[in-house]
């Protein structure tokens, strides 16, 4: 499985939801965003648009990790030592 052109620049991290194998998170350095893809929406060759873009970081996203307990929650860590928690059910 691959997602082509998830970001226009370097990709820093990827997280696959352990509760729902269709949801993939990607983190990028330049625009400080996290993008969530649904693999059911990907076209041939892995090209597709994110189902949501999470913004609001002020530093490089270093890591994304889905919660092992809650299927809609993930965390993202930043270069400035901040950890953000997100809930996709609230977007």
């Amino acid at each position: 499985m691959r997602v082509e052109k998830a970001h226009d620049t370097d990709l820093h991290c990827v997280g696959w939801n352990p509760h729902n194998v269709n949801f993939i998170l990607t983190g990028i350095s330049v625009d400080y965003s996290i993008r969530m893809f649904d693999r059911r929406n990907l076209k041939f060759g892995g090209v597709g648009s994110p189902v949501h873009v999470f913004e609001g970081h002020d530093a490089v996203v270093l890591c994304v990790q889905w919660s092992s307990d809650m299927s809609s929650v993930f965390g993202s860590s930043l270069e400035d030592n901040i950890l953000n928690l997100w809930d996709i059910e609230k977007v």
Side-chain angles (χ1 to χ4, degrees), residues 16-64:
W16 207 297
N17 189 324
H19 306 281
N20 184 338
V21 297
N22 293 308
F23 291 136
I24 306 163
L25 297 171
T26 60
I28 187 168
S29 62
V30 175
D31 66 4
Y32 309 150
S33 72
I34 298 166
R35 298 181 186 187
M36 184 174 72
F37 293 87
D38 184 333
R39 72 181 195 154
R40 296 168 292 192
N41 295 342
L42 300 177
K43 298 177 181 129
F44 179 76
V47 178
S49 298
V51 293
H52 191 77
V53 177
F54 298 88
E55 299 175 313
H57 287 298
D58 293 326
V60 173
V61 179
L62 297 177
C63 181
V64 291

